[in-house]
Amino acid sequence: LNYMLKVRRRVADIGGLSRAQRDKDRQRPHPFVLADEMYESLRSNRTSQALIVKGLSGSGKSENAKLMINYLTCLKTISDYKPNFTPNPRKSRRGPTPLGMVDAPWIVSQDMLDTSKFLLAGMSVIDAFSNCKTKSNENSSRVGKMTKVFFGDGTGVAGASIEAFFLEKSRVIKQSDNERGFHIFYQVILGASNAQRQKHKLKNLSAYSNYLRSERLTAMNDELEFGETQKNLKTLGFAEEDIDFIIATIAAVLEIGNIQFEGGDDDANISKSSEGSVARVEELLELPAGKLKAALI
């Protein structure tokens, strides 16, 4: 099984089945089945539900989580799966609650109908900035994620949020043999347009050897993935100038890796050969001239 293979799964093929058909065709531990059972418990018990996705590196945790999220966010389109709860008059709360039905009716606006698209775009952006190649997995997640899905009473998904934590920041500057830094660095270097390369002073991959190992992935195309990352950022509402500054920041981080020092602890200074790198970082981050050098020494 190639867990890296891009598959256009049609949730509607499963979600569109009748309740009896879905029960008959259940095969655990399929991600759609687990998500379906969680939602059924949500409807029956009217309490928040939690699902922990765990496993060894490369076992498909992130991809299976996306499949379950995709299934949950598509439930609002399944006509035979609409809950029919009576609001509790003793609890007059309004608004969505994490993976739990609210007691007062919640009307999903037109803007909320693309929840699945926004949520999956957010998860993909987090993957670009926190996934990398390790010895056992070309798309290993180096961050913890908690995704909350908010349901309205009788209306399906009303919203969602993603919280990321425990990012392996040390991987930015150092990786073991046969491993890579975070995907986003390679995406920017290999996938940026000529105009982006000139504007953000991007070099070839080999020019950033202090921070990155020049290895390509076998199952992912960094150039194409960068296009997807930019598209996902736009889906999330990032303006062109925001995306521009993100690219500039990434270029600055990589350029910092080229700054060399000379002298000892008491008389350390930036080497003459690195003054160009310092100037480029200051320009990319829109810092006053000399500000970075003063901070570094």
Side-chain angles (χ1 to χ4, degrees):
L1 175 64
N2 182 2
Y3 59 89
M4 300 277 287
L5 184 65
K6 298 286 186 182
V7 178
R8 297 291 182 183
R9 293 187 179 274
R10 290 189 50 177
V11 177
D13 292 343
I14 294 178
L17 299 176
S18 67
R19 180 83 242 163
Q21 286 175 304
R22 285 203 296 272
D23 287 339
K24 180 180 178 180
D25 295 338
R26 283 183 183 278
Q27 292 187 12
R28 300 182 59 133
H30 195 287
F32 289 160
V33 172
L34 295 175
D36 190 73
E37 290 179 345
M38 181 170 61
Y39 186 66
E40 183 61 28
S41 296
L42 177 68
R43 295 178 59 209
S44 302
N45 302 326
R46 295 175 61 80
T47 57
S48 297
Q49 304 291 311
L51 199 154
I52 299 174
V53 183
K54 66 176 184 176
L56 298 174
S57 179
S59 60
K61 297 183 292 295
S62 296
E63 295 306 313
N64 276 285
K66 290 178 184 177
L67 290 175
M68 287 185 280
I69 293 297
N70 195 13
Y71 184 87
L72 288 171
T73 52
C74 286
L75 287 175
K76 60 177 175 285
T77 66
I78 302 172
S79 59
D80 67 331
Y81 212 167
K82 291 181 179 178
N84 185 24
F85 291 129
T86 302
N88 185 343
R90 292 175 297 176
K91 297 181 179 179
S92 180
R93 291 182 300 167
R94 288 189 177 274
T97 184
L99 278 179
M101 305 299 294
V102 298
D103 296 303
W106 178 260
I107 305 302
V108 178
S109 68
Q110 185 65 37
D111 292 338
M112 293 178 178
L113 296 181
D114 287 331
T115 303
S116 176
K117 180 177 70 175
F118 286 113
L119 188 54
L120 293 175
M123 296 176 77
S124 296
V125 168
I126 291 176
D127 286 349
F129 281 83
S130 62
N131 286 19
C132 64
K133 177 185 182 295
T134 63
K135 293 178 180 178
S136 58
N137 181 4
E138 283 200 350
N139 193 32
S140 178
S141 179
R142 315 308 294 177
V143 69
K145 294 187 289 287
M146 181 170 68
T147 305
K148 296 179 182 178
V149 181
F150 304 91
F151 284 88
D153 201 355
T155 58
V157 173
S161 67
I162 307 174
E163 181 181 352
F165 50 92
F166 296 139
L167 177 65
E168 187 186 8
K169 298 177 182 178
S170 60
R171 186 168 289 271
V172 172
I173 62 173
K174 186 176 178 60
Q175 308 95 42
S176 300
D177 293 338
N178 300 319
E179 296 193 352
R180 296 203 324 174
F182 296 121
H183 292 329
I184 189 62
F185 294 121
Y186 299 86
Q187 290 181 15
V188 168
I189 296 169
L190 299 172
S193 65
N194 289 333
Q196 288 172 326
R197 297 186 69 84
Q198 292 179 6
K199 182 176 182 178
H200 303 299
K201 309 182 187 309
L202 289 167
K203 306 173 185 176
N204 294 327
L205 190 61
S206 58
Y208 303 109
S209 57
N210 288 334
Y211 276 5
L212 300 178
R213 297 181 180 276
S214 54
E215 296 179 8
R216 284 183 173 269
L217 300 178
T218 58
M220 292 177 67
N221 184 305
D222 292 304
E223 293 93 328
L224 295 179
E225 290 296 327
F226 184 53
E228 288 296 310
T229 297
Q230 292 183 92
K231 184 173 73 174
N232 288 327
L233 286 169
K234 292 175 182 177
T235 297
L236 295 171
F238 284 80
E240 286 289 351
E241 52 266 31
D242 297 327
I243 297 175
D244 238 23
F245 189 71
I246 289 172
I247 298 173
T249 303
I250 291 169
V253 169
L254 292 174
E255 192 65 54
I256 287 173
N258 290 332
I259 298 176
Q260 302 293 321
F261 295 87
E262 58 187 12
D265 293 340
D266 296 328
D267 59 346
N269 204 344
I270 293 173
S271 65
K272 292 288 185 181
S273 61
S274 297
E275 289 180 354
S277 292
V278 172
R280 279 189 289 273
V281 173
E282 290 176 336
E283 184 178 349
L284 287 166
L285 298 181
E286 300 177 3
L287 296 173
K291 190 76 171 181
L292 179 62
K293 182 175 181 179
L296 291 175
I297 59 175

